[in-house]
Amino acid sequence: MRILIVEDEPRIAADIKTGLERGGYVADVVGDGETAWFQAEVESYDAMVLDLGLPRLDGLTVLRRLRAADRTLPVLILTARDGWRERVDGIDAGADDYLTKPFHMEELLARLRAILRRAAGQASPVLKAGPLELDTRTRDVSIAGRLVSLTALEYRLLAYLLHRQGQVVPPTELLDHLYDGASEREPNAIEAILTRLRRKLGAPVIETRRGHGYLVAADGAVS
Amino acid sequence: MRILIVEDEPRIAADIKTGLERGGYVADVVGDGETAWFQAEVESYDAMVLDLGLPRLDGLTVLRRLRAADRTLPVLILTARDGWRERVDGIDAGADDYLTKPFHMEELLARLRAILRRAAGQASPVLKAGPLELDTRTRDVSIAGRLVSLTALEYRLLAYLLHRQGQVVPPTELLDHLYDGASEREPNAIEAILTRLRRKLGAPVIETRRGHGYLVAADGAVS
DNA sequence: CACCGCCTGTCAGCGTATTGTCAGGGAGGA
DNA sequence: TCCTCCCTGACAATACGCTGACAGGCGGTG
């Protein structure tokens, strides 16, 4: 899961980035609305954390532009403590959620999980596919009840596929969502992680559709 | 739109009900968790406004039961002002949103609009032509209910024709759209793919218009 | 500061599915 | 009938995906 943080205060931005990375996400930071808009158009993110008070281009405007362009990217906005009017505007402009500053990192993570979950059309924070369970809160993964310990990337890969359960995910998309913007990777990197992940899982949860991509079946069944 | 309000304090419940009705919704009120659970099972609501502090059966429990039963009903929870821990639990239990008491009616309405909007926007893009169905999310193709497995190019060819359903597509255009700009192919390559595709489909879905191109009829019928 | 161990990206080799080309045949239109 | 255009089977080249091995990097530990 790759998140775009839009926050002009470097200190806060860095805190959020660290928090998100601890939470198992990949995050890019931009400091103004203009760049945010550009970045969101050009790169692919799974969600955006958006501060409303921004230089150059106001956060609400960024959000409205996104929605006007039919981009359904989940957006979590950050507002001042007593700005309920601001929050109502934000929600009507298409925000999926808000958080008032200052906030607990833990709450930001919970709300992020929630909007990501919703975007995937899921109701529960525990993602399931057949014998496989992935708890997004604790990041525990178990198969047939047995806990398996995954590395950061293995987890991200699996979580991403589960979020898009029932859909075929092309390898290029995985490349986009598993790594932040700073890095270039060979497509083979995905295959390597996948091999190791499959070995750990020990059950055929992840299907390959040659020429199309990878897939975790909606009910966990293998065709 | 019909909303279920779960709130044990009659005064607040009445306020919310009034507010929702002013906002154009229909609302029912129940005062305890047990009834809420029963009511949500028996009647059909478009969303639920759920107070967490409830007699008989706690709000969180109601929510978890709903989610355990795979009910995706949008739920907005009401929490105390400083209960961020409670909110995190609520969100992880599957709440779509929360609001801290006391709140502005206007904000409740905005958040309700938001979760209803979200719940509505989940349609699967499936292309159809007669007995043929192509699901762009899973890349599953089925004809008369029977799944057929297509290679990357067969899929692209079929998808392209379906996108332009009812129109005659010249082979040169297919050449342009199936391959990237760098490569030169014999026009025969298209014919070869088409032959294999037709054999897999087993039904005359793709017509040839000699001298013009290929066509998938708008209703899937063959003239 | 040095060491160690784990994580992870790259490379190369392998097996297999996919796909372009070729050549021959069939059908439609003039 | 003749000339195109299109279809199709066979085959070879290619691309794709999987895996084992290796090495650099990073963080933790003594």
Side-chain angles (χ1 to χ4, degrees), chain B residues 29-190:
Chain B
V29 174
V30 302
D32 69 279
E34 204 65 71
T35 316
W37 164 245
F38 175 78
Q39 194 73 0
E41 280 295 286
V42 172
E43 300 287 327
S44 56
Y45 293 96
D46 298 290
M48 178 190 279
V49 175
L50 176 67
D51 187 11
L52 285 192
L54 287 175
R56 296 175 61 94
L57 186 61
D58 176 69
L60 269 183
T61 309
V62 172
L63 183 50
R64 289 208 189 89
R65 277 209 203 164
L66 272 178
R67 295 319 185 202
D70 270 340
R71 305 272 278 104
T72 55
L73 178 76
V75 173
L76 175 70
I77 58 177
L78 304 177
T79 73
R81 170 167 288 285
D82 291 322
W84 70 268
R85 165 51 64 195
E86 200 179 24
R87 293 200 290 274
V88 170
D89 287 347
I91 291 166
D92 280 338
D96 293 86
D97 210 339
Y98 73 83
L99 201 56
T100 56
K101 294 201 273 189
F103 52 84
H104 290 259
M105 202 55 219
E106 198 170 342
E107 186 167 1
L108 173 58
L109 287 172
R111 305 200 67 82
L112 211 47
R113 280 196 294 277
I115 64 178
L116 287 169
R117 184 176 65 210
R118 263 182 234 130
Q122 307 263 2
S124 101
V126 179
L127 305 174
K128 295 182 188 179
L132 181 69
E133 292 197 7
L134 183 149
D135 189 325
T136 57
R137 299 180 324 139
T138 60
R139 303 205 184 196
D140 282 339
V141 173
S142 63
I143 188 141
R146 180 177 50 85
L147 263 180
V148 286
S149 106
L150 300 185
T151 68
L153 273 174
E154 289 161 2
Y155 176 84
R156 268 190 258 161
L157 176 51
L158 183 58
Y160 190 77
L161 289 175
L162 281 172
H163 270 295
R164 312 247 341 225
Q165 204 171 138
Q167 302 173 42
V168 174
V169 181
T172 52
E173 184 177 332
L174 291 173
L175 233 31
D176 283 348
H177 286 265
L178 293 189
Y179 302 102
D180 61 31
S183 46
E184 297 267 320
R185 291 295 186 308
E186 298 285 325
N188 197 339
I190 297 292

